[in-house]
Amino acid sequence: MSLLMSYKLRISACQSLKLSGMVAVVTGGSRGIGFAIAKMLSENGASIVITAKNQKRLEESAILLENTIPVSADVRDSMAVNHVISMAVRKFGKIDILVNNAGIFPKVGRLDKIDENDWNDTINVNLTGPFRFAKAAIPHLQKTHGSIVNISSNAGLKAFEGFNAAAYSASKAGLVMLTKCWALEYSCDGIRVNCICPGAIKTDMTERFLSNPGDVEFMNKQYPLGRIGCPEEIASAVLYLVSEQALWITGSILPIDGGESAK
Ligand code: NAP
């Protein structure tokens, strides 16, 4: 049967966003956007492995989700990353979906105020972390013709005056390019790789910029739709991209930012 014909059958058999029988690994799934993604995927039938550094918080989050296990790991540690993937396969038998969401926002400052450790840590978590997870998951995704969604940022698409977080922007721009490269490298295996670039979302990461109403009001005005976003608005796009509805989408970079990137 041709590849196109087999996809046509899959599409007609399952024109839905339901993920019954699928297994997803969500990095940074203990809180913020990652937790919302894990929740949305689990509510739509997937079995989930959430992973993050802080084991206690991870366990507390997993209890709130259906069919979800926590496996802690620091994305900077290749052995720990491999362990997460092994545990996912041991527990659920396969992996269909990898969401590379874990990330950090570094110390803010212009180049002369940033040292090499700040730079290295940001790249290590935000760019090499997804590399480690994708590398560990690829052999399993090849078996399931699965998909990867990378969570980048609108800061990975353009520079913002006064943002002063160049390492963050560079790490997120790198993730955009990794998405495109991996999409082409693995399309022959039926693996799809896509990327979401969120604008500002209220989470622990943005707490320091959005701690008072004046900050929120200022930030809301930066967005054509008049407000910042919420984690569920990223999660619903992940759900679509990993579902059978998106079988012809790979290498796509999707800004979800209230229209900001259109300016
Ligand atoms: P958050 O609330 O700060 O959560 C970050 C998550 O990543 C936590 O689960 C954290 O786990 C995990 N994490 C951080 N460093 C890790 C490491 N070394 N190893 C393993 N896990 C680690 O952040 P968020 O706002 O939800 O952001 C999620 C993603 O969206 C990030 O990649 C971020 O860059 C991106 N993003 C966010 C916004 C926004 O406005 N919030 C906008 C654009 C893009 P621990 O608690 O265990 O460290």
Side-chain angles (χ1 to χ4, degrees), residues 128-161:
T128 317
F131 164 84
R132 292 187 185 98
F133 261 100
K135 192 167 171 57
I138 275 291
H140 305 286
L141 296 173
Q142 281 172 319
K143 290 179 193 155
T144 56
H145 308 301
S147 76
I148 299 175
V149 178
N150 293 320
I151 306 300
S152 174
S153 166
N154 62 347
L157 297 175
K158 67 181 195 184
F160 291 88
E161 206 164 0

Side-chain angles (χ1 to χ4, degrees), residues 55-66:
Q55 186 159 359
K56 186 167 176 288
R57 186 157 42 198
L58 193 63
E59 285 168 3
E60 288 165 359
S61 299
I63 287 168
L64 303 174
L65 302 172
E66 291 164 43

Side-chain angles (χ1 to χ4, degrees), residues 104-108 118 122 126 165-168 208-209:
I104 54 169
F105 194 84
K107 199 170 101 185
V108 172
D118 298 325
T122 307
N126 291 359
Y168 181 81
R208 65 182 128 158
F209 309 109

Side-chain angles (χ1 to χ4, degrees), residues 4-247:
L4 181 60
M5 185 58 78
S6 90
Y7 279 144
K8 277 185 175 161
L9 286 177
R10 280 170 74 186
I11 291 167
S12 57
C14 188
Q15 272 284 8
S16 85
L17 295 172
K18 291 292 175 202
L19 307 178
S20 305
M22 295 179 96
V23 179
V25 174
V26 180
T27 76
S30 58
R31 56 196 169 106
I33 295 171
F35 180 77
I37 293 169
K39 186 165 186 286
M40 184 130 341
L41 300 189
S42 69
E43 285 172 354
N44 281 276
S47 302
I48 313 285
V49 175
I50 52 171
T51 180
K53 278 198 317 290
N54 183 319
Q55 186 159 359
K56 186 167 176 288
R57 186 157 42 198
L58 193 63
E59 285 168 3
E60 288 165 359
S61 299
I63 287 168
L64 303 174
L65 302 172
E66 291 164 43
N67 213 11
T68 297
I69 61 162
V71 184
S72 65
D74 189 324
V75 301
R76 293 170 295 190
D77 177 348
S78 294
M79 275 176 59
V81 167
N82 290 338
H83 176 68
V84 174
I85 296 300
S86 303
M87 288 299 287
V89 175
R90 197 177 309 166
K91 172 74 182 168
F92 296 119
K94 60 172 184 158
I95 299 173
D96 301 280
I97 299 159
L98 169 66
V99 183
N100 276 316
N101 163 80
I104 54 169
F105 194 84
K107 199 170 101 185
V108 172
R110 295 196 301 169
L111 177 59
D112 57 301
K113 296 280 183 271
I114 299 300
D115 65 32
E116 203 170 318
N117 288 336
D118 298 325
W119 165 266
N120 284 337
D121 207 35
T122 307
I123 298 297
N124 199 356
V125 174
N126 291 359
L127 188 59
T128 317
F131 164 84
R132 292 187 185 98
F133 261 100
K135 192 167 171 57
I138 275 291
H140 305 286
L141 296 173
Q142 281 172 319
K143 290 179 193 155
T144 56
H145 308 301
S147 76
I148 299 175
V149 178
N150 293 320
I151 306 300
S152 174
S153 166
N154 62 347
L157 297 175
K158 67 181 195 184
F160 291 88
E161 206 164 0
F163 190 55
N164 293 344
Y168 181 81
S169 298
S171 69
K172 293 299 186 179
L175 196 50
V176 166
M177 187 48 72
L178 279 182
T179 302
K180 294 183 184 187
C181 293
W182 292 341
L184 297 188
E185 288 174 10
Y186 289 99
S187 56
C188 56
D189 292 334
I191 297 174
R192 300 178 302 105
V193 188
N194 292 295
C195 180
I196 293 173
C197 296
I201 310 281
K202 201 166 187 324
T203 63
D204 295 345
M205 182 177 278
T206 47
E207 188 59 34
R208 65 182 128 158
F209 309 109
L210 299 171
S211 51
N212 66 60
D215 294 338
V216 177
E217 201 180 320
F218 171 80
M219 194 63 97
N220 283 340
K221 287 193 179 133
Q222 310 307 308
Y223 291 87
L225 287 178
R227 63 169 177 87
I228 60 170
C230 64
E232 292 71 23
E233 288 173 312
I234 306 306
S236 55
V238 173
L239 173 61
Y240 170 67
L241 287 173
V242 302
S243 77
E244 302 265 352
Q245 294 277 7
L247 287 178

